[in-house]
Amino acid sequence: MLGSSEITDEIWDDIEAILIQADLGVNTTLTLIDDLRSQGITKQEELQVALRGSLQSLLQFPPPLDVSGRELSIILVVGVNGSGKTTSIGKLAHRLMLGRRKVMLAAADTFRAAAIDQLKLWGERVGAPVIANKPNSDPAAVVYDATAAAKARGYEILIVDTAGRLHTNYNLMEELAKIRQVSGKVVPGAPHEVLLVLDGTTGQNALQQAKKFKEMIDVTGVIVTKLDGTPKGGMVFSVFNDLQLPVHYVGLGEGMDDMVLFNPEIFVKSLFD
Amino acid sequence: TLSQRLQDTFDALGRGGKVNENDVKNAMRQVRMALLEADVALPVVKDFVGRVSERAVGAEVHKALRPGQQIVKIVHEELAATLGEPGRLNFSGSTKPHVIMLVGLQGSGKTTTAGKLSLYLRREGRQPFLVAADTYRPAAVDQLVTIAKQINVPYHEQGTDKSPVEIAVNGVKAAKEAGAAVCVVDTAGRLQIDETLMDELKRIKEKVNPAEILLVADAMTGQEAVNIATGFNDAVGITGLILTKIDGDARGGAAISMRIVTDVPIKFLGTSEKMDGFEIFHPDRLTDRILG
Ligand SMILES: Nc1nc2c(ncn2[C@@H]2O[C@H](COP(=O)(O)OP(=O)(O)OP(=O)(O)O)[C@@H](O)[C@H]2O)c(=O)[nH]1
Ligand SMILES: Nc1nc2c(ncn2[C@@H]2O[C@H](COP(=O)(O)OP(=O)(O)OP(=O)(O)O)[C@@H](O)[C@H]2O)c(=O)[nH]1
Ligand SMILES: [Mg+2]
Ligand SMILES: [Mg+2]
């Protein structure tokens, strides 16, 4: 879309359209464009470079997950219904195990139909043991049991799957806070990571989800899923900037290898594909 | 809210200040921003604001006593008109069972909705039957079977070794033998750009000749709503939309986008994870929340 001639209003409109349709949101888009306009750029290719530079400067490579240097690290995985938590746990376990870590899974979604079966199948797929109780049992109790099992059997990382829940449901958010609390009782300092799984097809509500989850259970990082589809995942900009939540991984499919480390350069480049 | 914004915009013009056509243009900018923040897709917003603007000019809103309120009223009416009439299920034709296929992206709520829809159908006096045609997602068949048992609805499943097409065909046969009135086929979530899986949907459609193909979409879907709806519509032709997770606080602009690009009615809303979290769509349910 950008050639080597002067910058017209139409060019600015095109840029605005690309960013808005990438789900960056109106505010982020307008702020970015105002900032670019004030830079007094005259050539289109310079604008191309400046635009990508601005976008990239809004993101960062993630730090490594805080899952080393202790006997047992606990990762709590949370998010709204259907965002891809259980699948992402399978992928994450696989990644960590490829790195020679001993990973155990806890099936703390005791509510949804076949949620425990689903995680167990993932456990089998990647070779990680799954600790589960009966459906409809207390999720906090599963965390308790899983932590004891992990310690007893020398597992160094425990990933806890939780039921999907809308951030607008106060009771369910309270339940999650309790699950978080229980993990801290059995392992001081736990959970060491609370990863919010955001569906990449989500629009502006993603920021609201991130805000509420962070408020209620102190999320430490984000995984964005389903970016193998047509959505661009632009809500990552506001989630990262407004809440300083690192984006650790991006889900690109339904298989255990379909998750990559978040890379700001590649992410920004794909906005323009 | 949009009303507050427009109020502020016009109040800022000062008391007794005459509102001119430029001020109406600014108001349209506010409408545009409000709709984009509500996740209505950009091309749909442009088109929509164009229509509202025409009506505002035509109604000589700049001469109105309360121009802000006038514009909100126009936007409300246009939104309601766009969202359209509550959709009914189409069961014309005597061949039983009538087949309903549920399709959509991964995680949108199809399997859960299959259960809810079955319960709704039974309440309406139409005996439902469920078919577990998702052989890909781990424990998807278990999920549907668990739901079917919970709500006491007969079902057909063949595990994960057979093709979804075969399972769908056998499922409809089983539904017929069971004397069911409606057969709800749950399919695997898929990307609209996945040609192989979209072909699979076409083949299922060919074989079971559905009375309805409902796109189950998440109310929090962002700008891609247009491509998603168009993709499914172009591939298999959808006859209705079900918007799920309306119990969240997503504004739901995706509903407008999908409705406009497919010209297909919104038939139901998913309002909770439970089997009774299911409502017939009514435009009022969405217009207020979209406008914020
Ligand atoms: N294409 C694609 N599909 C994904 C991705 N991640 C997850 N999925 C699919 O999304 C659907 C939902 O995934 P789940 O892992 O069950 O999501 P969840 O958040 O655990 O769902 P609940 O527990 O019901 O809240 C499944 O069909 C997954 O295969 C991804 O990165 N790409
Ligand atoms: N709060 C709420 N949750 C819902 C609603 N509909 C579905 N869910 C939840 O959303 C999640 C995903 O639902 P599924 O029925 O597994 O979605 P799906 O489309 O079948 O997923 P795939 O088969 O993987 O594509 C589950 O946790 C459901 O309980 C709804 O209307 N409101
Ligand atoms: Mg899950
Ligand atoms: Mg399903």
Side-chain angles (χ1 to χ4, degrees), chain A residues 10-46:
Chain A
E10 199 185 345
I11 298 279
W12 289 114
D13 283 349
D14 284 347
I15 293 179
E16 186 186 80
I18 289 179
L19 299 182
I20 292 213
Q21 293 187 62
D23 283 317
L24 264 78
V26 179
N27 286 337
T28 307
T29 300
L30 293 184
T31 308
L32 240 152
I33 293 191
D34 282 344
D35 180 76
L36 276 176
R37 289 189 98 125
S38 69
Q39 288 182 29
I41 303 171
T42 48
K43 292 238 180 50
Q44 280 185 30
E45 321 102 316
E46 288 176 14

Side-chain angles (χ1 to χ4, degrees), chain A residues 13 16-18 20-23 25-27 30 80-83 111-114 117-118 121-122 125 163-168 172 199 201-205 208-209 212 226 228-232 254, chain B residues 32-33 36-39 42-43 46 105-108 112 136-140 142-144 146-147 150 189-193 197 218 220-224 227-228 245-251 273-274:
Chain A
D13 283 349
E16 186 186 80
I18 289 179
I20 292 213
Q21 293 187 62
D23 283 317
V26 179
N27 286 337
L30 293 184
V80 305
N81 308 72
S83 63
F111 167 73
R112 205 209 68 207
D117 297 321
Q118 186 186 5
L121 283 171
W122 268 106
R125 238 180 225 189
R165 68 202 66 220
L166 295 180
H167 51 292
T168 46
L172 291 183
D199 187 326
T201 65
T202 307
Q204 298 312 298
N205 197 245
Q208 198 53 18
Q209 291 174 25
K212 286 294 172 199
K226 309 180 196 173
D228 45 318
T230 48
K232 304 292 189 184
E254 303 186 64
Chain B
R32 170 184 155 106
M33 286 204 34
L36 286 175
E37 287 177 2
D39 285 327
L42 183 62
K46 286 186 172 164
L105 291 185
Q106 290 88 345
S108 63
T112 309
Y136 305 113
R137 167 173 154 159
D142 298 320
Q143 185 186 4
L144 188 68
T146 302
I147 289 174
Q150 270 172 14
R190 67 203 64 215
L191 303 176
Q192 81 279 8
I193 51 173
L197 287 184
D218 202 319
M220 59 185 93
T221 308
Q223 291 286 314
E224 279 305 299
N227 288 334
I228 294 163
K245 307 175 205 170
I246 276 290
D247 43 318
D249 57 4
R251 302 275 291 283
E273 283 191 77
K274 306 227 168 68

Side-chain angles (χ1 to χ4, degrees), chain B residues 97-113:
Chain B
H98 299 290
V99 179
I100 298 180
M101 269 173 74
L102 296 183
V103 304
L105 291 185
Q106 290 88 345
S108 63
K110 298 173 292 299
T111 305
T112 309
T113 301

Side-chain angles (χ1 to χ4, degrees), chain B residues 123-141:
Chain B
R123 284 210 201 96
E124 294 283 301
R126 298 177 189 274
Q127 290 314 315
F129 191 97
L130 282 165
V131 179
D134 177 357
T135 58
Y136 305 113
R137 167 173 154 159
V141 172

Side-chain angles (χ1 to χ4, degrees), chain B residues 1 26 29 38 43 66 102 137 150 210 220 223 271 285:
Chain B
T1 67
N26 280 329
R29 218 161 283 146
R66 292 269 182 84
L102 296 183
R137 167 173 154 159
Q150 270 172 14
M220 59 185 93
Q223 291 286 314
T271 58
R285 275 296 248 130

